[in-house]
Amino acid sequence: MGERRKLIAGNWKMNGLHADGVALAAGIAEKLKAAGVVSFDLLICPPATLIWPVSAVVKGCGVAVGGQDCHPKTSGAHTGDISPSMLVDAGCSYVIVGHSERRQDHKEPDALIAAKAAAAHAAGLTAIICVGETLAQREAGQAGAVVASQLSGSIPAGSTAANTVVAYEPVWAIGTGRNATPADVAEIHAAIRADLIKRIPGGSCVRILYGGSVKQSNAGDLMAVPDVDGALVGGASLKVDDFWGIAASCC
Ligand code: PGA
């Protein structure tokens, strides 16, 4: 992967019943079909209950499907969890790990996130490893140090540009309508790039996504920032036109 093709990823979080999810996926697939050749990759990450039907709807039309989390083990007595190979079986090629909502709601530490990413790699999935500081950390001038420490703890050995994507998502910008300025994003993405070059063979080719209140109106400016290789989109990924509008801003 010489040139970094932009990746526009929709994280549906805990939203959508069967009918809505299938309609949303079908709408996105229709947009892509109508557009023909595009310069970006599209990914949707539905809740676990919808992975199978959504995969069936988008099959063969160039929209990838991902899980929102996985367990570090392949199988076993882990009630409620989903293994990376189950995600593959259901049609996924990606999985998000270490999203800030899981770091917060489930107290997931960096070492667990690294184990999940390693398990994802072993199953053939590309892991989207999320990092990002809280508002208190940013206000204390610790954003760079927090992200560096999360990268160091969450990226497993064996990561490559083909099996790893990093998403920078400042926690204070997620779902708040408050997004980081292009200057804030440029500073952190440049630091992440420098870190990846040291840490991963081919680190200059790893895609780094920005996430946090990305919408059609700000996507163009954010996607133009150096080292921003796409977006991880929450709220605005739940409507076909909003999500497609963000993707189209990459052209
Ligand atoms: P948001 O969520 O776009 O709703 O801010 C982004 C994310 O959490 O991935």
Side-chain angles (χ1 to χ4, degrees), residues 4 25 68 81-82 106 116 144 182 198 215 236:
R4 298 187 308 262
Q68 297 178 10
D81 280 312
I82 297 177
H106 300 276
K116 290 180 175 198
K198 281 192 236 141
K215 39 189 186 282

Side-chain angles (χ1 to χ4, degrees), residues 126-228:
T126 296
I128 301 179
I129 301 173
C130 302
V131 295
E133 80 286 356
T134 61
L135 184 57
Q137 289 165 334
R138 173 155 285 264
E139 285 176 343
Q142 295 165 348
V146 167
V147 167
S149 151
Q150 289 174 333
L151 289 172
S152 156
S154 312
I155 297 181
S159 296
T160 66
N163 69 17
T164 302
V165 172
V166 170
Y168 169 57
E169 299 203 296
V171 176
W172 47 273
I174 294 178
T176 56
R178 186 176 161 184
N179 66 292
T181 64
D184 295 333
V185 175
E187 188 185 343
I188 300 283
H189 277 237
I192 294 174
R193 174 69 60 212
D195 183 285
L196 292 175
I197 287 171
K198 281 192 236 141
R199 194 178 297 286
I200 296 184
S204 61
C205 299
V206 174
R207 292 192 279 192
I208 309 172
L209 312 184
Y210 171 75
S213 299
V214 176
K215 39 189 186 282
Q216 207 174 332
S217 57
N218 60 25
D221 287 345
L222 289 164
M223 294 304 109
V225 172
D227 285 309
V228 172

Side-chain angles (χ1 to χ4, degrees), residues 11 13 99-101 169 173-176 211-214 232-236:
N11 173 11
K13 308 191 179 184
H99 189 279
S100 63
E101 286 150 17
E169 299 203 296
I174 294 178
T176 56
S213 299
V214 176
L232 184 52
V233 186

